[in-house]
Amino acid sequence: MAGADLSMAPWQRPSDACLVQLGLDALMADVAAPSLPLLAGLARGESPQARELFGLVLDELGLLPLISEDLATARWIAARWWAAQIVARQLDPLHGAKLIYEEAAAELDYPDTLQPIVDLARRIDLLNDQPRQQQHIDEVTSAAQDFLATDTPLNTGR
């Protein structure tokens, strides 16, 4: 999604520090790209190099070039990936639901197939001051499984 956001207006683009953090996150998730360790290892003073290295990583992963028609598809792919990570217990379900809600569903105009996850993310967000409950984790994991079981085409909003 950050790759897609690089094409946005300057004030909407991810910061250099955010790109370095994304590199670190990808490295920790065992994503393999030759330039990824270079991006993830940038020191604070080297962060101006982050955009160039981030672009290289995207290119090495076959994620470039992103054109406007690809953005919706990229959001569907991201939503499916996050849902799969939730189900595999590789991503905290509450954090994953929030990512799906904010980074995919909101940008896709809240498609029906993502609505159960969106509703759960909103409800859990309202309970933010309360301790996490296993029920919420189970509900999000179940909603992610249901979403993965759908045959939603990747190129449509609904």
Side-chain angles (χ1 to χ4, degrees), residues 4 6 10 27 62 64 74 95 99 101-102 106 109 112 124-125 127 130 142 145:
L6 288 175
L27 200 58
L64 284 180
H95 180 66
L99 285 170
Y101 167 39
E102 293 175 353
D109 197 26
D112 295 339
I124 292 166
D125 197 37
L127 303 172
Q130 297 179 5
S142 178
Q145 287 172 326

Side-chain angles (χ1 to χ4, degrees), residues 86 89 91-98 116-117 119-144:
I86 290 169
R89 303 196 189 297
L91 176 62
D92 173 72
L94 306 182
H95 180 66
K98 187 173 181 176
I117 296 172
D119 292 343
L120 285 167
R122 286 177 177 160
R123 190 176 82 215
I124 292 166
D125 197 37
L126 291 174
L127 303 172
N128 206 13
D129 294 338
Q130 297 179 5
R132 297 166 45 120
Q133 295 182 0
Q134 187 63 40
Q135 174 189 355
H136 297 137
I137 293 169
D138 294 343
E139 288 173 339
V140 170
T141 303
S142 178

Side-chain angles (χ1 to χ4, degrees), residues 7 51 53 55 67 69 72-74 80 88 96 103 107 129 136 145:
S7 65
R51 291 199 189 285
L53 285 171
I67 54 176
E69 296 85 42
T73 301
R80 286 195 173 280
E103 299 294 334
E107 298 297 328
D129 294 338
H136 297 137
Q145 287 172 326

Side-chain angles (χ1 to χ4, degrees), residues 65-81:
L66 278 174
I67 54 176
S68 61
E69 296 85 42
D70 295 337
L71 296 180
T73 301
R75 293 189 191 285
W76 279 110
I77 290 169
R80 286 195 173 280
W81 187 80

Side-chain angles (χ1 to χ4, degrees), residues 142-156:
S142 178
Q145 287 172 326
D146 292 346
F147 167 59
L148 290 172
T150 65
D151 291 330
T152 303
L154 292 177
N155 61 354
T156 65

